[in-house]
Amino acid sequence: MCGIVGYIGWREAAPVLVGGLKSLEYRGYDSFGVATGTDSIMVAKRKGRISEQADCVSGCHGTRGIGHTRWATHGLPDDRNAHPHTDCTGQFAIVHNGIIENYAELRRGLEGRCHRFTSDTDSEVIAHLIEEAWEGDFAAAVRAVLPLLEGSYAILAVCAGSDEVIAARERSPLVIGLGDDEFFACSDSTPIVEYTRNIMVLEDGDLVVMRRGAVAVENGGETVVRETTYIDYDIEASRKGGFEHFMLKEIFEQPDVFQQSFRLACTHQGISMLLSRARGVSVIACGTSYNAALLFRYFAEKECGVPVRVDLASEYRYLSTPDDEIVIAVSQSGETADTLSALKKAVASSCPTIAITNVQGSSITRAADHTIYTGAGPEISVAATKSYMGQFAAFVGLLAGMNCSDMSAVERSVRQVIEESLLTDVSEAVSLCAKASTIFYVGRGIFYPVALEGALKMKEISYIHAEGYAAGEIKHGPFALLSEETPAVAVCMPGDGYQSMLGNLREMKARGTPLIGIGYGDDIDLQDVADVCIPVPKGDAYAQVAAVTVIMQRIAYYTALALGQDIDKPRNLAKSVTVE
Ligand code: M6R
């Protein structure tokens, strides 16, 4: 994880770096730092968030520099471990995103050769190795160090006395922005689009030497040319637009996101045909994207008769998977390390592969045979909301193609119920949840994944322990935890499993559990058993899923708000998880 940014050109570098790091904070935000200068290197770094203490870089001058916002992997989140890291002499400064797996061995060697370390990070070895390799040519020194590093990295480096910024990539994202007599190097294009839309996406093994007016890419010692892509990015969409938090703004964008993503997916008729004829489909994803993938399983198996397995991307490598399945990798960021490695495993097994992602040009789009973009627009809040809706819509669009059915009525009904669910009163549920230290989320069938997602949202932004369960499973252990102190959010919609669900609610009620029932407003049986009822607008199964999802997102949001939590940047998390 972590975000890195580099600049070389004609502007003062520090403000560019600070602006860039602020927009990369979603990748990690426990500490930050920048290094600038030409004749000598000035470093400023600190624990905490750059958005709250950007003035600490006021002593850093010059028209080139590098910066970093950290999500700690090695060493506490404190000033010492913040990047940039320097060598013993202070001549070289580096920032790094990724993990140097052999750092302990490298560090022992360096310490044995009298290098003094000032941090506990894996990254610092890079600066000392460059120091050792230095024979007067900065690029040559970095080039000599890269083969010594095992693991993943996106590295930016500067050297006192050199007019270059050097970038290198191996299994960590890094893009170069090509401006007018200026260059940017960043973990993703977000910080760059303000200056230029021309982006060069680097590949593993690339080393880039940037000078004022010239950029050169090499790989394995050979000069290479990387394609320049024009990035279509809505800067306005990445601002809060009057909402208190990005999360709330993004929740409110969901009617449009559903429609846009559904329509985009409907244009992929060829992929739908491929899926409908598949012997099996395997979907790999993490977190919220995994929960969206589970929804696809329920709908595709029931409505199209296509067997779908859904695996956590982080477990996929341990499984023996058939090589005649179509593999779909789902990832908002397109950079999640576990999803990317699972996808690469599928590619290596010669499975046809499809990426569903929200980020243009992201790593999974380059690894997969086909890409379907969700039309969610930039999602800034760490808690995924509209991207989940976009993924769900993409799956619905694919299902329409698989079934050869016109689902424009579904598109309209989903949009409408999302709009209505944005206004549903959830205050009583929030009051119950805000007092709890554990909350259960239960549902059956298509509402089981929705319950998982509701619980994930609640725990990540409110810090209340929340567990999603298939309602039928809760008797098999979790019942031991039920009491008046453990509310349950239960989805009880007419249709498959309705009576069983009501039975489950009664059993929970008998154990004292305060029940928040989510179902139809005219359901008197639900009203009988639930302490609080939240009405869901009526609609088809897709509309129900969308409506309940929005209601659960809002319960989580307002509970976190009531508890005064840092909603857009919850503790210990990062938006893009680029380490395994
Ligand atoms: O970018 P991805 O969709 O691959 O991210 C996967 C998870 O890290 C992500 O969905 C995470 O669970 C969300 N922050 C939860 O809100």
Side-chain angles (χ1 to χ4, degrees):
M1 327 237 280
C2 309
I4 63 175
V5 53
Y7 175 76
I8 184 161
W10 43 270
R11 304 171 202 259
E12 263 300 291
V16 177
L17 300 176
V18 167
L21 293 179
K22 282 182 183 169
S23 53
L24 287 175
E25 268 194 324
Y26 72 87
R27 304 178 71 92
Y29 35 80
D30 59 45
S31 57
F32 67 91
V34 305
T36 63
T38 303
D39 296 335
S40 63
I41 302 291
M42 291 155 271
V43 176
K45 54 185 191 171
R46 202 171 276 179
K47 177 180 177 179
R49 296 179 183 182
I50 193 160
S51 39
E52 286 154 14
Q53 37 188 351
D55 51 348
C56 104
V57 309
S58 57
C60 293
H61 299 292
T63 54
R64 60 171 200 147
I66 56 178
H68 187 273
T69 180
R70 180 169 185 249
W71 185 83
T73 58
H74 295 66
L76 289 174
D78 58 19
D79 292 355
R80 291 171 60 247
N81 292 324
H83 295 219
H85 292 291
T86 51
D87 66 310
C88 302
T89 64
Q91 183 180 1
F92 305 97
I94 63 98
V95 292
H96 165 228
N97 171 30
I99 292 183
I100 305 300
E101 286 161 6
N102 60 336
Y103 87 98
E105 185 193 334
L106 291 170
R107 180 168 174 150
R108 276 193 296 276
L110 285 158
E111 284 174 333
R113 298 191 295 279
C114 298
H115 286 264
R116 295 175 317 281
F117 279 75
T118 56
S119 79
D120 305 318
T121 64
D122 54 333
S123 313
E124 191 183 342
V125 294
I126 302 166
H128 293 277
L129 289 169
I130 297 174
E131 178 191 356
E132 277 200 345
W134 165 255
E135 289 177 353
D137 179 339
F138 182 31
V142 178
R143 200 176 288 125
V145 166
L146 298 181
L148 308 176
L149 306 177
E150 289 169 18
S152 59
Y153 54 76
I155 298 168
L156 298 177
V158 286
C159 161
S162 149
D163 60 354
E164 296 159 335
V165 173
I166 296 191
R169 170 196 158 131
E170 182 67 40
R171 288 165 45 207
S172 273
L174 192 57
V175 300
I176 305 292
L178 309 168
D180 196 4
D181 197 24
E182 58 184 351
F183 299 111
F184 306 80
C186 294
S187 301
D188 68 37
S189 54
T190 326
I192 303 177
V193 287
E194 189 180 336
Y195 304 99
T196 173
R197 300 297 177 93
N198 295 319
I199 306 288
M200 194 163 69
V201 180
L202 298 182
E203 298 195 359
D204 287 348
D206 282 356
L207 177 117
V208 186
V209 180
M210 288 173 283
R211 290 190 188 90
R212 211 38 224 273
V215 63
V217 188
E218 59 181 70
N219 193 306
E222 303 288 324
T223 301
V224 289
V225 177
R226 297 282 172 237
E227 198 185 329
T228 303
T229 312
Y230 182 85
I231 296 285
D232 201 5
Y233 186 93
D234 182 355
I235 294 186
E236 204 38 55
S238 64
R239 303 198 170 116
K240 269 194 214 156
F243 285 89
E244 191 174 351
H245 294 99
F246 280 110
M247 181 177 175
L248 190 61
K249 173 181 173 252
E250 288 160 4
I251 287 173
F252 270 81
E253 286 169 359
Q254 292 179 110
D256 288 342
V257 167
F258 182 87
Q259 199 162 34
Q260 172 77 355
S261 304
F262 172 78
R263 289 183 182 180
L264 278 172
C266 287
T267 63
H268 292 278
Q269 288 293 327
I271 296 181
S272 285
M273 293 310 288
L274 205 66
L275 292 171
S276 59
R277 294 196 202 115
R279 285 169 60 101
V281 177
S282 178
V283 194
I284 45 182
C286 301
T288 289
S289 300
Y290 172 81
N291 295 338
L294 286 175
L295 283 172
F296 178 63
R297 176 178 182 192
Y298 281 90
F299 283 108
E301 292 195 343
K302 184 166 180 198
E303 293 179 14
C304 310
V306 175
V308 177
R309 51 181 280 171
V310 182
D311 288 309
L312 289 167
S314 54
E315 288 297 308
Y316 190 73
R317 75 174 74 163
Y318 310 114
L319 301 169
S320 151
T321 47
D323 50 18
D324 57 353
E325 290 177 331
I326 298 180
V327 175
I328 307 180
V330 190
S331 169
Q332 186 284 132
S333 60
E335 300 295 349
T336 299
D338 287 318
T339 309
L340 192 56
S341 341
L343 174 60
K344 285 182 177 164
K345 178 184 170 193
V347 170
S349 315
S350 305
C351 297
T353 52
I354 298 161
I356 297 184
T357 183
N358 197 33
V359 179
Q360 211 186 331
S362 54
S363 298
I364 69 166
T365 67
R366 294 195 303 282
D369 301 325
H370 309 279
T371 296
I372 297 174
Y373 286 111
T374 49
E379 188 177 62
I380 310 296
S381 165
V382 166
T385 52
K386 64 173 179 171
S387 61
Y388 173 86
M389 192 60 78
Q391 291 163 350
F392 173 53
F395 282 128
V396 179
L398 287 178
L399 288 164
M402 289 165 74
N403 271 335
C404 297
S405 54
D406 172 10
M407 286 174 68
S408 44
V410 168
E411 181 198 316
R412 280 194 299 279
S413 75
V414 174
R415 190 189 163 97
Q416 191 182 331
V417 299
I418 297 176
E419 280 167 356
E420 288 175 38
S421 306
L422 290 170
L423 305 173
T424 306
D425 181 7
V426 294
S427 56
E428 280 188 85
V430 168
S431 307
L432 259 179
C433 291
K435 290 189 292 218
S437 51
T438 291
I439 306 171
F440 287 100
Y441 280 72
V442 290
R444 281 176 175 263
I446 48 176
F447 299 108
Y448 165 49
V450 177
L452 290 177
E453 177 57 14
L456 179 59
K457 282 300 82 87
M458 179 60 86
K459 75 180 98 174
E460 78 174 318
I461 60 166
S462 73
Y463 313 152
I464 297 171
H465 174 233
E467 284 304 326
Y469 270 97
E473 191 62 18
I474 197 153
K475 283 198 285 283
H476 303 286
F479 250 51
L481 295 174
L482 296 185
S483 73
E484 307 76 51
E485 315 288 311
T486 56
V489 178
V491 192
C492 188
M493 304 291 291
D496 275 0
Y498 171 75
Q499 288 302 338
S500 312
M501 189 68 207
L502 268 183
N504 295 143
L505 294 193
R506 292 187 184 113
E507 292 153 7
M508 293 170 83
K509 187 73 195 163
R511 272 80 190 172
T513 307
L515 289 178
I516 299 164
I518 302 183
Y520 280 165
D522 55 5
D523 184 339
I524 38 182
D525 289 330
L526 180 61
Q527 282 160 15
D528 254 6
V529 67
D531 299 273
V532 172
C533 280
I534 303 185
V536 179
K538 292 193 174 167
D540 52 52
Y542 300 106
Q544 290 177 358
V545 163
V548 176
T549 299
V550 172
I551 288 168
M552 287 187 175
Q553 291 168 345
R554 293 181 58 239
I555 295 176
Y557 173 81
Y558 288 109
T559 302
L561 190 70
L563 296 174
Q565 309 301 20
D566 191 352
I567 293 181
D568 284 334
K569 294 197 177 84
R571 70 183 178 211
N572 302 336
L573 299 183
K575 179 111 189 115
S576 182
V577 184
T578 55
V579 291
E580 288 180 354

